[in-house]
């Protein structure tokens, strides 16, 4: 019966080729539409909060990098005559201090810009160094497994269950404060975070087919780790890196407050809060402004990291990438 | 009445109460979502109804919109984020336009649902006893002890051995078949009139599948419940449904009584499904696989969605979307050539 | 229970590592006698102190003596604390303020502050996280998101200073610092609780969102359970594990936060003691305070691990490997 029916209703031969072409086109290319950068960019621009955060970070980066050229005054120039000038005030000499002056008459805005250089660069350098150390150890531990993994992960577990800032404090007490000692201490305390994540991502990847394929093709272990595993975990590691920069900027402030930061007269945001503390009743801006700078920078970094994570998350990303619907109530 | 239903289930496909008014009817239901690639239509203008004591099969491949439609009816998918239109009438009242609070009262009481993966559908950190009895306790205001007694009673009904001693067990201590029984007990706690079973046996072993289907038929018969059985397995539907709806890519391809569906399939997709099904009574003939794969919802072909895989396709199919047309009493299909195909098959 | 024993063993090893680190790192600063008496002390005085403290013995022997002392509850003696006007001869013979007493006197205040800060933060964070997960992408969700991000982005001691300026100096509602009745604890607890509030709220929110998307939630809805029960019983219990983990982590970080917050508010806790020891270069007190805090943290971690087994019935104490 089927033969008969099929013979009778067989589609017109002239139609068949186009239909086959149709099938090909449908199921090979159009089937899994790719998320292009346009979709990400559209999502970024439609998310106003994240966009503002990104713009704020760009402004911060520019004013930190260009502090030498952009700052209106020498950050360490003392002017005893014009101490404790509130924001938006003009000196007799006609100098305008947008954010006021401190207890030695130094321009707060200029000090904030130079302080940004110190605080942000310590955060970045610390995150880069700890990232390099942690990711290297994490990938090797996850890929090679065995005794090396055991030792590294025990170390990570141990270090993560201790209050890191307390250990940092003790170490700095012994080796003394300063820019490079801070970076050093941050590196040895924060690598564990990167290591743990890199290892778990490597464990997920190492059993996948493309790694087996690379191994069968005769790639060396080093090449597999560098060329095949590392590029596949860039997104989550970038998110972690952003968060770590924020954490380290906060930590720098805390340690500077206790006197382990950069040495005076150089400014960092943490030191500015510490030195402004004695004048908290009379000159609120000395404490408030640098703290606000830290707060906003860390907040912007956190917002950006949160957005990146949401967008790169395979489960929840569609919620973020879907353009918001205009309010139309005509259909139920 | 029991004897009557008994007789009906024995002769599958022969309904007795054709004239009875449906207890639930779905009219023009559409469900859409927004995705990064634009809106998709998961369910497109679907209409069917179910009578008291009836078993309705809903057949379709994964992604054909069968689960989405039923979850919308249950109120598990709601208007934002989804776009929902159409009506679902229960006792003549449109439940889609009811406020959330009122719809929640319907769940459990009037209609209940069991899911494909029973282990995932049970809360891993609460005991079986708690999960079966909690609705009864909260909604009916029963005491803890009374609710637990009710749970034991329900577990006996779904044939979980030594029920009382298992009240304190956790889902992971149960096998897949046992979990599905627990699900069924949970769904029956409030005596629903309609039970929706979303692929209840797909995740189970073949022998267990059989037991679960028998159990579902048994509880349906005992309680005079209506059963909506969602599946991609024609064999399951053939055995226990009175009528069936065949879905393809969010639209209804065909709806008919089981007898009509098997004797005179009128949509090429239904035909293809039947040819892909092994049959004991047929001559040993090669099973015909359906070429190609179902389309993703974001890229439904123009005109008839089945066109690229259809052996009957004509140029017209690419331009014109076939509407669902009545072919006979209780038999409709959405194909431009439905009458011709039906004629062909009925001559045979 | 072998798991518990093994877990406690890990804790003991951790503690020993910290003790060793604190001891040997402390010796790296230089001769303890010079650290204590100052560079201007006479050679005879230094020699006498070394003899009395056993500093001429081999380092390893000193180490074992130190560990032995710790086991008996002896954290050493401070030569700075309360000795400001005391002649050097007085502590030549090894006398001084026992560090153990100092630490024990300060510990309750820190625990009190930490309990108030964490308790308040936890309660509020759970509510915030659940609300955000119940109404994803609503204004509540956005508010919770921004609030929690803001509270983890703030420097705690700075927040403390701002709170003092606002509520103590300008409004005069609350004291600027010190320890006393219940209202003394409000501002320090607010400053200290900000970070755990944000972190726990974030983790609760994302864990709850994950749980709310699981099939068992759909099944619970299909049963006709009211939404509040689905959220507060079904989802929250399963979201509990990440929430407990982050709470444990935050408790560890709370201790470090307390160092600065206590300093800012003049709160007589162990953090304040630690900063005093830093400023006085008082090594025994510093070591004692760090050891006390580390012990506290290790015990908390142990408790957190035990809590898991309650939350997840699949993890029994004996079978938990990783």
């Amino acid at each position: 019966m089927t033969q008969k029916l099929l013979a009778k209703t067989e589609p017109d031969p002239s139609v068949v080729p186009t239909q086959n072409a149709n099938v090909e086109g449908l199921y090979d290319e159009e089937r899994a539409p790719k998320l292009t950068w346009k979709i990400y960019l559209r999502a970024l621009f439609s998310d106003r909060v994240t966009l503002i955060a990104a713009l704020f970070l760009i402004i911060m980066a520019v004013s930190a990098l260009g502090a030498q050229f952009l700052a209106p005054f020498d950050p360490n120039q003392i002017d005893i005559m014009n101490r404790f000038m509130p924001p938006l005030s003009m000196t007799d000499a006609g100098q305008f201090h947008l954010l006021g002056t401190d207890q030695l008459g130094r321009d707060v805005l200029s000090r904030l810009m130079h302080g940004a250089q110190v605080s942000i660069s310590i955060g970045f350098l610390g995150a880069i160094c700890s990232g390099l150390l942690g990711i290297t150890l994490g990938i090797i531990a996850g890929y090679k497994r065995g005794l090396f993994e055991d030792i590294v992960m025990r170390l990570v577990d141990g270090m993560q269950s201790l209050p890191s800032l307390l250990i940092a404090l003790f170490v700095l007490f012994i080796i003394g404060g300063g820019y490079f000692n801070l970076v050093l201490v941050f590196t040895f305390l924060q690598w564990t975070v990167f290591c743990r994540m890199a290892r778990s991502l490597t464990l997920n990847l190492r059993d996948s087919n493309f790694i087996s394929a690379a191994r069968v093709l005769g790639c060396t272990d080093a090449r597999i780790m560098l060329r095949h595993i590392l590029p596949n975990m860039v997104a989550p590691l970038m998110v972690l890196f952003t968060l770590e920069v924020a954490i380290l900027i906060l930590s720098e402030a805390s340690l500077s407050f206790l006197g382990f930061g950069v040495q005076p007269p150089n400014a960092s945001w943490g030191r500015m809060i510490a030195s402004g503390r004695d004048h908290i009743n009379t000159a609120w801006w000395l404490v408030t402004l640098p703290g606000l700078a830290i707060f906003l920078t860390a907040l912007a970094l956190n917002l950006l990291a949160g957005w990146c994570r949401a967008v790169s998350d395979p489960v929840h990303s569609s919620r973020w990438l879907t353009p918001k619907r205009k309010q139309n109530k005509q259909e139920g | 009445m029991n004897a009557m239903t008994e007789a009906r289930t024995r002769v599958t496909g022969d309904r007795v109460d054709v004239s009875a008014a449906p207890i639930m009817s779905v009219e023009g239901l559409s469900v859409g979502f927004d995705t990064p690639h634009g809106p998709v239509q998961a369910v497109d203008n679907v209409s069917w109804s179910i009578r008291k004591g009836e078993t309705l099969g809903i057949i379709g491949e994964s992604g054909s919109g069968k689960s989405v439609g039923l979850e919308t009816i249950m109120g598990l998918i709601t208007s934002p984020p989804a776009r929902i239109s159409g009506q679902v009438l229960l006792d003549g009242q449109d439940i889609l336009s009811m406020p959330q609070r009122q719809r929640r009262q319907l769940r459990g009481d009037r209609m209940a649902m069991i899911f494909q993966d029973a282990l995932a559908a049970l809360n891993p950190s609460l005991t079986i006893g708690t999960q079966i009895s909690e609705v009864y306790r909260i909604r009916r205001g029963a005491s803890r002890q009374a609710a637990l007694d009710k749970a034991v009673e329900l577990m006996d009904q779904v044939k979980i051995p030594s029920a009382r001693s298992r009240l304190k067990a956790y889902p992971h201590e149960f096998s897949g078949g046992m979990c599905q029984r627990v699900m069924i007990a949970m769904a029956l706690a409030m005596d629903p009139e309609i039970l929706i079973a979303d692929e209840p046996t797909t995740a189970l072993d073949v022998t267990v599948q059989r037991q679960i289907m028998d159990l579902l038929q048994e509880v349906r018969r005992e309680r005079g419940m209506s059963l909506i059985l969602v599946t991609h397995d024609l064999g399951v539907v053939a055995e226990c449904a009175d009528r069936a709806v065949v879905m393809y890519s969010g639209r209804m391809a065909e709806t008919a009584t089981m007898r009509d569906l098997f004797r005179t399939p009128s949509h090429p997709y239904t035909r293809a499904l039947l040819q892909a099904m092994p049959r004991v009574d047929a001559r040993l003939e090669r099973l015909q696989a359906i070429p190609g794969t179902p389309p993703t919802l974001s890229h439904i072909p123009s005109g008839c969605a089945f066109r690229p895989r259809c052996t009957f396709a004509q140029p017209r199919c690419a331009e014109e979307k076939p509407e669902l047309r009545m072919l006979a009493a209780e038999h409709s299909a959405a194909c431009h050539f439905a009458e011709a195909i039906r004629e062909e098959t009925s001559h045979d | 229970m072998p798991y518990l024993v093994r877990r406690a063993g890990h804790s003991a090893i951790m503690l020993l590592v910290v003790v060793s680190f604190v001891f040997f790192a402390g010796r790296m600063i230089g001769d303890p006698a010079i650290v204590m008496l100052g560079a201007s002390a006479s050679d005879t005085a230094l020699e006498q102190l070394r003899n009395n403290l056993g500093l001429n013995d081999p380092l390893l022997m000193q180490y074992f003596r130190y560990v032995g002392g710790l086991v008996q509850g002896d954290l050493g003696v401070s030569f700075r604390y309360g000795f400001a006007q005391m002649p050097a001869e007085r502590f030549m013979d090894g006398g001084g303020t026992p560090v153990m007493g100092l630490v024990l006197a300060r510990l309750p205040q820190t625990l009190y502050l930490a309990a108030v800060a964490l308790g308040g933060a936890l309660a509020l964070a759970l509510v915030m996280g659940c609300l955000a997960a119940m109404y994803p992408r609503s204004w509540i969700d956005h508010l919770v998101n921004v609030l929690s991000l803001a509270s983890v982005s703030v420097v705690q001691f700075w927040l403390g200073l701002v709170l003092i300026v606002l509520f103590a100096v300008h409004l005069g509602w609350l004291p600027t610092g010190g320890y006393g009745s219940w209202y003394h604890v409000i501002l320090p607890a607010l400053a200290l609780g900000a970070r755990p509030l944000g972190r726990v709220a974030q983790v609760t929110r994302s864990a709850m969102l994950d749980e709310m998307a699981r099939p068992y939630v759909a099944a619970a809805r299909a049963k006709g359970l009211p939404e509040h029960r689905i959220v507060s019983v079904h989802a929250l219990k399963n979201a509990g594990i990440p929430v407990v983990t982050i709470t444990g982590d935050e408790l560890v970080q709370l201790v470090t936060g307390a160092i600065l917050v206590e300093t800012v508010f003049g709160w007589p806790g162990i953090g304040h003691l630690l900063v005093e020891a830093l400023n006085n270069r008082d090594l025994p007190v510093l070591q004692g305070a760090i050891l006390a805090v580390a012990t506290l943290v290790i015990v908390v971690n142990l408790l957190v691990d035990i809590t898991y087994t309650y939350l997840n019935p699949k993890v029994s104490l004996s079978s938990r490997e990783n």
Side-chain angles (χ1 to χ4, degrees), chain B residues 138-339:
Chain B
I138 291 167
R139 293 276 295 278
R140 294 269 192 268
S143 72
R144 188 172 289 268
Q145 192 51 50
L148 284 179
D149 288 343
K150 173 82 179 174
V152 173
E153 187 194 318
L154 287 163
M155 285 162 82
D156 284 336
Q157 277 178 32
V158 299
K159 304 196 178 63
I160 296 174
S162 50
R164 191 163 289 276
S165 65
R166 297 228 172 152
L167 283 177
K168 284 212 153 52
Y170 287 95
H172 70 268
E173 298 167 42
F174 278 54
S175 67
M178 276 297 162
C179 282
Q180 196 54 274
R181 283 171 199 270
V182 172
M183 271 303 298
I184 295 171
M186 243 163 73
L188 294 179
M190 306 271 290
D191 258 324
E193 294 157 48
I194 303 172
L195 181 65
I196 298 174
D198 188 357
E199 307 220 11
T201 59
T202 308
L204 303 175
D205 291 340
V206 184
T207 48
V208 185
Q209 282 184 3
R210 179 89 222 177
Q211 295 167 7
I212 295 293
M213 284 316 302
D214 288 348
L215 176 67
L216 277 174
Q217 282 304 309
E218 192 183 317
V219 292
R220 182 190 61 77
R221 210 161 39 229
E222 277 168 7
R223 293 164 178 251
M225 225 168 34
S226 306
L227 179 66
I228 299 174
L229 188 63
V230 183
T231 180
H232 60 249
D233 185 350
L234 265 181
V236 171
V237 182
E239 267 174 54
C240 41
D242 301 306
R243 287 187 302 132
V245 174
V246 180
M247 303 269 298
Y248 188 79
S249 176
R251 292 171 63 89
M252 284 170 81
E254 186 166 3
T255 173
T257 60
M258 279 327 289
R259 174 191 283 176
D260 287 351
L261 197 72
F262 276 81
R263 292 208 183 142
T264 56
S266 307
H267 192 285
Y269 177 58
T270 319
R271 274 182 53 109
L273 278 180
L274 289 172
Q275 281 161 10
M277 189 179 109
R279 294 177 70 165
V280 189
D281 57 338
R283 309 178 288 273
L284 263 179
E285 172 178 2
R286 248 184 93 115
L287 292 177
Q288 304 236 344
I290 308 177
T293 46
T296 49
L297 286 177
S298 52
H299 284 87
I300 295 178
S302 65
C304 175
F306 189 58
R307 166 176 56 85
R309 304 170 71 186
C310 183
T311 44
F312 301 90
Q314 298 293 328
R316 181 187 172 195
C317 301
E319 289 146 22
E320 209 178 320
K321 215 186 235 187
E323 292 302 322
L324 196 67
R325 288 197 313 280
M326 180 94 88
L327 302 171
E330 308 241 354
H331 192 168
S332 316
C335 175
H336 295 308
F337 313 111
E339 288 85 357

Side-chain angles (χ1 to χ4, degrees), chain A residues 161 166 280 287 302 316 319, chain C residues 137 153 158 165 210 256 297 301:
Chain A
S161 61
L166 192 67
I280 191 167
V287 164
N302 275 318
H316 299 296
R319 278 200 322 167
Chain C
R137 284 196 102 173
S153 304
W158 176 76
V165 172
D210 284 350
T256 31
V297 162
N301 280 328

Side-chain angles (χ1 to χ4, degrees), chain A residues 1-2 5-6 8-9 11 15 19 22-23 26-27 30-31 33-35 39 42 318 321-323 325 331-332, chain B residues 34-37 79 81 83-84 271 275 285 293-296 299 301 307-309 311-315 344 348:
Chain A
M1 66 146 202
T2 33
L5 187 87
L6 279 177
K8 233 181 171 177
T9 42
V15 186
Q19 281 202 339
N22 209 338
V23 171
L26 235 159
Y27 302 126
E30 293 175 53
R31 197 169 166 72
K34 287 207 176 63
L35 290 167
I39 290 179
R42 188 183 65 199
S318 66
L321 295 177
T322 304
R325 212 187 331 158
E331 32 93 75
Chain B
D34 290 328
T35 72
H37 311 288
S79 187
R83 309 161 183 248
I84 299 171
R271 274 182 53 109
Q275 281 161 10
E285 172 178 2
T293 46
T296 49
H299 284 87
R307 166 176 56 85
R309 304 170 71 186
T311 44
F312 301 90
Q314 298 293 328
E344 279 298 328
D348 159 67

Side-chain angles (χ1 to χ4, degrees), chain A residues 49 243 246 250 291-304, chain C residues 128 141-156 158-159 190-191 193-202:
Chain A
V49 178
L243 291 175
L250 297 186
L292 216 55
I294 297 174
F295 171 64
L296 291 177
T297 309
L299 183 61
L301 284 168
N302 275 318
L303 280 169
L304 209 62
Chain C
M128 277 167 60
D141 190 16
H142 289 300
L143 185 72
V144 167
N145 192 27
V146 169
L147 257 180
S148 59
L149 282 178
S151 64
V152 300
S153 304
V154 77
V155 188
Q156 283 166 317
W158 176 76
L159 181 63
L190 275 177
R195 195 189 128 111
L197 172 74
R199 284 259 188 275
V200 177
Q202 278 174 336

